[in-house]
């Protein structure tokens, strides 16, 4: 090992273009090479080699393949987890994100060496603004909830700059749990507003909550019942009249792509989940990205750095006196951005629109097929997802949890259950756009067969799952005494 030298790492990059295939060498980074013995005190250095298991390649491959098929994932079969958008993510996005020029760059490299990465981030931000009808964007937040929190800090900065001390954020009772959490952490009190009998914000009752103390309304559209808030423009207008802002939880933007833009129906700021709508798989805790798109009145408060374009050059702008500051150590989860950029370019405008259309058609197809077998508390045309209730199954002693567990025996991941909270025994189903008619029909058959089992053999459901490596676990205990050693 060379001592104290500088090593120039080079990587050969292959690129396929219309002109054919070419390769070039790309300098990655000048890294100082230091002998560990110069850095670590001798008494802390290992004296003999670590006792690592000696395994052959086939054993290791089999171990990981077994693990990967023991777990259920969207590459294996249908995963209709409502609100979470577990759709198939094209492998080309992973492939592009693995390119050395993206994967091996370091966040502290000087701007002139990462112009391509900056350009990608800038153009992704522009695309997200175009898709949502907004003016400006930050890509820094690392998740949806982080985007919400960043949005709340910006709302606070906006009101403070106007000399207003507002204290409340209104949130519909069907909202995702992260909404009140983000509001509370940002120092606002969250005020729950009721839904009407159609499952949407009750406009008349909303009026009673609107006063000069309202900093914002935080709305999810389509909401967590999978319903479009049909009065959203009027609602936004009412909030604006008392000087409040409208924040949209856009985690589930795949229902709106190319059809409707939050910026056009009165939203002032919104986050998107790149790990739901734009080509990154999720689950297991990330990494994700929750970019925030805003109207121009809010631009001054965006977190730093903001990526700006000067002619043909791109740079980070930190000189923004009204900014809320940094919300991420560096610039966010860059490779998730690469995947989103690839996804958007691959699909194109028409492709994105057809994703939303297919997500909506698939959800409505399932709803139509299942309506006769399960109760639909808020019925009607849905968007990308819909919510059933298992409360009428109580007569047979069966709960929604049992239906979900039994679905695993049919080879499917269960839908989201017991959310949203306004539906008793909720089963929230989101098929996504990436499923075929054959898969949807297999799921329908499974659900119908389960509904028949509820009548004929409820015990079979209550003891499910019967086919998985692990049966029912005590989830409360597992959360408190986490053991991941097996
Ligand atoms: C997933 C989701 C969130 C939170 O996103 P995270 O990336 O998990 O923090 C917020 N709101 C809705 C409606 C969601 O579906």
């Amino acid at each position: 090992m060379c001592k104290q030298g500088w090593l120039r790492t080079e990587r050969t990059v292959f690129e396929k273009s219309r002109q054919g295939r070419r390769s070039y060498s790309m300098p990655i980074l000048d890294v100082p090479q230091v002998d560990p013995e110069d850095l670590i005190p001798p008494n802390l250095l290992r004296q003999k080699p670590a006792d690592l298991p000696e395994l052959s390649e086939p054993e290791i491959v089999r171990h990981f393949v077994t693990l990967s098929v023991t777990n259920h994932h969207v590459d294996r079969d249908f995963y209709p987890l409502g609100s979470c958008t577990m759709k198939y993510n094209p492998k080309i996005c992973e492939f592009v994100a693995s390119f050395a020029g993206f994967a091996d760059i370091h966040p502290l490299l000087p701007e002139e060496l990462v112009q391509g990465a900056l350009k990608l981030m800038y153009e992704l931000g522009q695309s997200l603004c175009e898709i949502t009808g907004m003016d400006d964007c930050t890509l820094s937040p690392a998740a949806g909830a982080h985007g919400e929190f960043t949005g709340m800090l910006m709302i606070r900065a906006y009101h403070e700059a106007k000399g207003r001390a507002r204290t409340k954020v209104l949130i519909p009772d069907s909202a995702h749990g992260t909404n009140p959490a983000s509001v509370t952490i940002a120092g606002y009190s969250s005020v729950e507003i009721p839904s009407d009998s159609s499952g949407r914000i009750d406009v008349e009752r909303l009026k009673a909550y609107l006063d000069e103390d309202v900093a914002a309304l935080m709305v999810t559209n389509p909401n967590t019942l999978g319903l479009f808030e049909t009065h959203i423009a009027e609602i936004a207008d009412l909030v604006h009249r008392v000087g409040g802002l409208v924040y949209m939880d856009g985690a589930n933007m795949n229902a709106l792509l190319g059809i409707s833009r939050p910026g056009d129906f009165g939203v002032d700021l919104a986050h998107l989940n790149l790990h739901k709508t734009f080509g990154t798989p999720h689950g297991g805790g990330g990494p994700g990205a929750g970019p925030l798109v805003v109207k121009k009145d809010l631009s001054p408060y965006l977190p730093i750095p903001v990526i700006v374009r000067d002619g043909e050059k791109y740079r980070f702008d930190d000189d923004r006196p009204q900014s809320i500051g940094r919300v991420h150590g560096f610039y966010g989860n860059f490779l998730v951005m690469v995947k989103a950029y690839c996804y958007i370019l691959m699909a194109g405008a028409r492709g994105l629109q057809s994703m939303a259309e297919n997500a909506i058609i698939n959800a409505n197809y399932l709803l139509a097929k299942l309506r006769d077998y399960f109760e639909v508390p808020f019925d009607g045309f849905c968007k990308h997802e819909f919510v059933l209730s298992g409360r009428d199954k109580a007569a047979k002693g069966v709960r929604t949890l049992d239906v979900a567990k039994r679905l695993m025996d049919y080879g499917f991941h269960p839908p989201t259950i017991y959310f949203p909270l306004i539906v008793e025994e909720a089963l929230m189903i989101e098929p996504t756009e990436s499923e075929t008619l054959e898969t949807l029909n297999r799921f329908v058959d499974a659900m119908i067969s389960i509904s028949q089992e509820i009548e004929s053999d409820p015990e079979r459901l209550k003891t499910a799952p019967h086919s998985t490596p692990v049966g029912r676990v005590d989830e409360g205990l597992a959360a408190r005494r986490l053991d991941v050693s097996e």
Side-chain angles (χ1 to χ4, degrees), residues 81-85 142-148 174-179 182 218 220-224 249-252 271-276 282 288-290 384-385 419 428 430:
L81 200 62
S83 199
C84 291
T85 313
H146 194 188
E148 294 170 19
S174 60
H176 194 267
T178 50
N179 291 188
S182 304
M218 194 174 198
T220 307
N221 196 20
N223 66 23
T224 62
D249 176 338
N252 301 311
H271 78 264
L272 306 172
N273 278 32
L274 298 190
H275 49 291
K276 287 181 184 169
H282 76 120
H384 61 303
E385 63 193 6
F419 175 73
M428 185 190 206
E430 177 178 2

Side-chain angles (χ1 to χ4, degrees), residues 214-263:
V214 171
L217 167 75
M218 194 174 198
V219 59
T220 307
N221 196 20
N223 66 23
T224 62
L225 294 164
L227 302 172
F228 192 79
E229 291 286 351
T230 33
H231 296 292
I232 187 69
E234 181 192 350
I235 291 169
D237 192 39
L238 290 169
V239 175
H240 289 150
R241 266 193 242 162
V242 296
L245 294 169
V246 179
Y247 181 97
M248 188 178 109
D249 176 338
N252 301 311
M253 188 67 196
N254 55 328
L256 300 185
L257 294 172
I259 299 176
S260 174
R261 305 195 310 168

Side-chain angles (χ1 to χ4, degrees), residues 71-75 77-82 84-87 282-283 412-415 430-432 435:
N71 207 348
H72 189 96
H73 45 82
V74 78
D75 286 355
D77 211 332
F78 192 46
Y79 203 137
L81 200 62
C84 291
T85 313
M86 290 290 188
K87 66 176 170 187
H282 76 120
F412 298 116
H413 194 283
E430 177 178 2
T432 81
E435 298 302 335

Side-chain angles (χ1 to χ4, degrees), residues 334-365:
F334 175 62
L335 295 179
V336 179
M337 299 170 206
V338 174
K339 287 184 249 181
Y341 184 75
C342 175
Y343 192 76
I344 291 170
L345 285 187
M346 182 193 71
R350 180 70 198 109
L352 291 178
Q353 187 183 339
S354 68
M355 278 177 201
E357 289 165 355
N358 285 324
I360 294 170
I361 291 168
N362 283 356
N364 280 283
Y365 179 77

Side-chain angles (χ1 to χ4, degrees), residues 387-450:
V387 181
L388 304 173
S389 169
R391 75 185 147 193
D392 61 336
K393 313 293 187 219
K396 289 281 174 187
V398 168
R399 302 192 60 207
T400 280
L401 179 73
D402 307 317
V403 175
K405 296 288 183 198
R406 184 71 178 128
L407 266 172
M408 295 160 85
D409 290 334
Y410 286 85
F412 298 116
H413 194 283
T416 297
I417 53 175
Y418 300 104
F419 175 73
L421 303 178
I422 59 172
V423 172
E424 251 180 85
E425 295 290 319
L427 261 164
M428 185 190 206
I429 299 173
E430 177 178 2
T432 81
E433 68 276 12
S434 44
E435 298 302 335
T436 61
L437 185 59
E438 289 75 17
T439 304
L440 299 182
N441 283 337
R442 274 197 296 124
F443 180 71
V444 168
D445 290 345
M447 288 292 280
I448 293 175
S449 153
I450 289 173

Side-chain angles (χ1 to χ4, degrees), residues 14-24:
F14 294 100
E15 200 178 71
K16 230 174 161 178
S17 68
R18 282 201 197 94
Q19 286 76 45
R21 201 174 145 87
R22 68 190 180 111
S23 70
Y24 53 91

